[in-house]
Amino acid sequence: MSLKDRALHGFFWSFIDSLGGQGIQFIVSIVLARMLTPREFGLIGMITIFIAISQTFIDSGFRNALIRKQKCTDDDYSTVFYFNLLISVLVYLILFFSSDIIAEFFNEPRLSKLLKILGIGLIFNAFGIIQSTIFTKNIDFKKQTRISISCSLIAGIIAIAVAKVGFGVWSLVILTLVKYGLSSVFLWLWTIWRPKLIFNLRSFTELFSFGSNLLLSGLLNTIYENVYYFIVGKYFSAVHLGYYTRADQFKMLPSQTLTGIITRVSYPVLSSIQNDKYALKHGYKRIIRTTTFVSFILMIGMAAVAKPMIIVLIGVKWLIAAEYLQILCFVGMFYPLHALNLSMLQVVGRSDLFLRLEIIKKILAMPTIIIGIIFGIKPMIFGMIGNTLLAFYLNSYWSGKFISYSFSEQVKDILPSFMLACIMGLTVFFAGQILHLHIYINLVIQIVLGAMVTWGICELFRFSDYLYFKARIIDHFYRR
């Protein structure tokens, strides 16, 4: 199978994985949101930053270092496996003994037990990191798709069942633990690789020299992405954090799902042609244009229907989350661009520059955090939009220097998709203001209208990114 065919095959199964796995999780979250209260979601949001930071330490940048390395040995895989497992245990112990302090800081006594139990998932997850990395390196997402969908479905059913009998916030903990545990078990069952009793210091040093910069930049990025949970939870309340987390999770569904689909495949593919600058730029340019075409339409479309969508899916009690979601969508629409530009720095081996950029961007983001503490949640989210635009400039400028793909050229490539999405979004939004039908009917009409406007403009003006996207889908299904 050629590299192009492997890439298209990988994109297909990565799409099915995200559509199935994330779709199931989304449905489960909607059901749980109807059964639980904003406060219960807020409690989990308070400890999210600690779990996320811990997971970043466990990975330590080794996953991407292994994917980028042209030929990995059993020494490489085994060394990283034992390191990940050791760090997961150490990190869990730190969380366990600091859980009372964290609970006292937020003035929420229940957080102590929640963190002690939820942290066990970090160890579960560490057992399957290498198996998942091997699948990704080989651009083999078919088995990962089956595992992801199976685990999401089983974990979701169990979580809903325990929520129904009154477990409350613990149903969210059980959801995570079951998913992580089953995922690692299935990864071991469906892979032939097994760790050997080897810890090669030379292999560790080689991989860590690249991964250490990714570790530090990953920590900065994880802290930045989750610090808003921390701010809202500390300076407002668990209820307000519940609203914010639900809005943020709705925002992440299209933006991070799309990013996951693209980067999981594009990183190993682009890494395999890293020495051919022409092919690298051509492939990267196509990925940027196709990704933003989808991202802009999805995110601006979601902003246009945020209020009726929230009411229909999870109820009127979450209406405040819709106000946050409308603004957050304009943050999320640029998330795939950030990830792709930073991924390119990894492809060309500049993890040191990756780290420097993360440090600069996080320093520039400090005023937004201060705004949130002083003026409230909405002004903070507007500040996040400014940070997003600034981060896009910095990321695209430096990544573009290595493949002769400048910031202005990127803007020129993505501008048509942005204009298309704005026309569609405004049409859908004002249609919702004019229509005064039942909210369910309004929402359906708005979604259908948005799809028709997008399709009509693309077909009428022969929109190149749409035609490419359409041709690849038709070609793939024709071949199958």
Side-chain angles (χ1 to χ4, degrees):
M1 187 183 292
S2 68
L3 182 62
K4 180 180 178 180
D5 289 338
R6 289 173 63 205
L8 291 174
H9 186 74
F11 275 123
F12 173 77
W13 282 107
S14 185
F15 173 76
I16 296 300
D17 180 11
S18 295
L19 183 66
Q22 297 293 335
I24 291 171
Q25 290 181 52
F26 181 66
I27 294 171
V28 169
S29 70
I30 288 174
V31 176
L32 291 176
R34 286 184 167 275
M35 301 173 70
L36 305 178
T37 65
R39 175 178 172 76
E40 289 168 316
F41 277 90
L43 290 173
I44 296 298
M46 288 178 177
I47 57 179
T48 295
I49 187 171
F50 303 102
I51 298 297
I53 291 173
S54 300
Q55 188 58 58
T56 303
F57 266 114
I58 294 169
D59 180 78
S60 299
F62 281 112
R63 178 183 175 85
N64 284 339
L66 287 170
I67 294 172
R68 183 180 183 275
K69 187 174 180 179
Q70 296 289 330
K71 294 182 180 180
C72 292
T73 65
D74 276 338
D75 284 16
D76 295 326
Y77 290 132
S78 297
T79 298
V80 174
F81 173 80
Y82 290 120
F83 176 80
N84 287 341
L85 192 57
L86 175 63
I87 295 299
S88 71
V89 174
L90 292 176
V91 166
Y92 173 69
L93 291 175
I94 292 172
L95 290 178
F96 185 91
F97 290 109
S98 61
S99 60
D100 290 339
I101 298 174
I102 294 171
E104 185 178 349
F105 176 82
F106 285 105
N107 196 29
E108 289 286 353
R110 298 176 69 186
L111 291 184
S112 179
K113 288 185 178 180
L114 289 171
L115 187 56
K116 288 175 181 176
I117 303 300
L118 188 60
I120 297 174
L122 296 169
I123 301 176
F124 290 166
N125 200 40
F127 274 98
I129 291 177
I130 297 300
Q131 287 84 348
S132 176
T133 300
I134 293 173
F135 280 138
T136 301
K137 185 176 179 65
N138 295 330
I139 319 178
D140 179 5
F141 296 101
K142 189 172 183 179
K143 290 180 180 177
Q144 288 193 78
T145 299
R146 294 172 177 172
I147 292 171
S148 175
I149 292 176
S150 300
C151 293
S152 296
L153 184 60
I154 296 171
I157 292 172
I158 294 174
I160 292 171
V162 297
K164 191 171 184 178
V165 297
F167 273 66
V169 68
W170 287 102
S171 60
L172 300 174
V173 175
I174 292 170
L175 176 68
T176 301
L177 291 180
V178 173
K179 183 183 176 184
Y180 282 171
L182 285 178
S183 179
S184 291
V185 169
F186 289 160
L187 283 168
W188 276 73
L189 291 175
W190 288 4
T191 53
I192 60 174
W193 180 85
R194 293 293 181 269
K196 296 182 178 179
L197 293 175
I198 298 171
F199 190 92
N200 189 315
L201 188 59
R202 180 180 296 179
S203 176
F204 177 85
T205 304
E206 176 191 354
L207 294 168
F208 192 68
S209 64
F210 178 81
S212 58
N213 289 319
L214 297 183
L215 166 62
L216 294 175
S217 58
L219 283 173
L220 287 172
N221 191 55
T222 300
I223 292 171
Y224 172 73
E225 289 186 348
N226 292 278
V227 72
Y228 300 106
Y229 286 17
F230 183 87
I231 296 299
V232 176
K234 174 62 179 176
Y235 293 98
F236 296 92
S237 67
V239 174
H240 281 90
L241 181 55
Y243 293 133
Y244 180 83
T245 56
R246 292 310 304 153
D248 193 50
Q249 287 166 0
F250 269 93
K251 178 263 292 183
M252 288 191 296
L253 179 67
S255 65
Q256 292 197 2
T257 299
L258 178 63
T259 302
I261 292 171
I262 302 298
T263 55
R264 284 171 69 192
V265 182
S266 64
Y267 182 58
V269 169
L270 294 176
S271 294
S272 67
I273 57 172
Q274 58 187 276
N275 297 320
D276 186 342
K277 298 301 181 183
Y278 175 79
L280 190 60
K281 178 182 178 179
H282 179 75
Y284 183 63
K285 186 182 178 78
R286 175 49 63 190
I287 291 170
I288 286 286
R289 294 185 60 164
T290 306
T291 302
T292 52
F293 169 72
V294 178
S295 174
F296 289 169
I297 290 172
L298 290 178
M299 297 309 300
I300 292 181
M302 179 178 284
V305 300
K307 289 188 177 180
M309 181 184 68
I310 290 291
I311 294 174
V312 168
L313 292 180
I314 56 179
V316 178
K317 67 180 179 181
W318 292 96
L319 187 58
I320 295 176
E323 299 176 11
Y324 299 156
L325 176 59
Q326 286 181 317
I327 315 172
L328 282 170
C329 283
F330 292 93
V331 178
M333 65 187 291
F334 286 97
Y335 184 83
L337 273 175
H338 298 323
L340 287 170
N341 277 296
L342 292 175
S343 179
M344 178 53 66
L345 291 178
Q346 297 179 54
V347 170
V348 298
R350 292 303 306 270
S351 60
D352 59 326
L353 183 56
F354 187 119
L355 173 59
R356 292 176 197 171
L357 284 173
E358 289 301 300
I359 293 173
I360 293 170
K361 289 183 296 184
K362 277 31 177 188
I363 292 173
L364 294 174
M366 290 301 296
T368 299
I369 297 172
I370 296 171
I371 287 172
I373 295 173
I374 298 175
F375 297 105
I377 299 173
K378 283 188 180 180
M380 180 180 71
I381 301 175
F382 278 111
M384 291 165 64
I385 297 176
N387 291 339
T388 296
L389 295 174
L390 182 59
F392 168 52
Y393 169 74
L394 292 172
N395 292 340
S396 60
Y397 175 81
W398 286 105
S399 66
K401 288 178 71 71
F402 295 100
I403 56 173
S404 301
Y405 188 30
S406 65
F407 167 73
S408 59
E409 192 175 354
Q410 282 200 36
V411 171
K412 184 179 178 182
D413 282 342
I414 69 175
L415 189 58
S417 294
F418 178 74
M419 297 301 295
L420 168 66
C422 286
I423 293 171
M424 178 274 298
L426 288 172
T427 304
V428 171
F429 177 78
F430 285 114
Q433 301 301 305
I434 296 171
L435 294 172
H436 296 289
L437 304 173
H438 191 280
I439 192 167
Y440 286 83
I441 299 175
N442 264 20
L443 180 60
V444 172
I445 292 175
Q446 284 181 280
I447 293 173
V448 172
L449 178 62
M452 291 178 63
V453 168
T454 303
W455 175 79
I457 294 175
C458 288
E459 288 287 351
L460 180 63
F461 294 99
R462 309 304 293 167
F463 202 80
S464 60
D465 298 322
Y466 160 79
L467 295 175
Y468 176 84
F469 189 72
K470 175 182 174 182
R472 297 289 75 77
I473 293 175
I474 293 174
D475 180 61
H476 181 81
F477 281 99
Y478 176 77
R479 289 187 181 190
R480 291 184 64 82

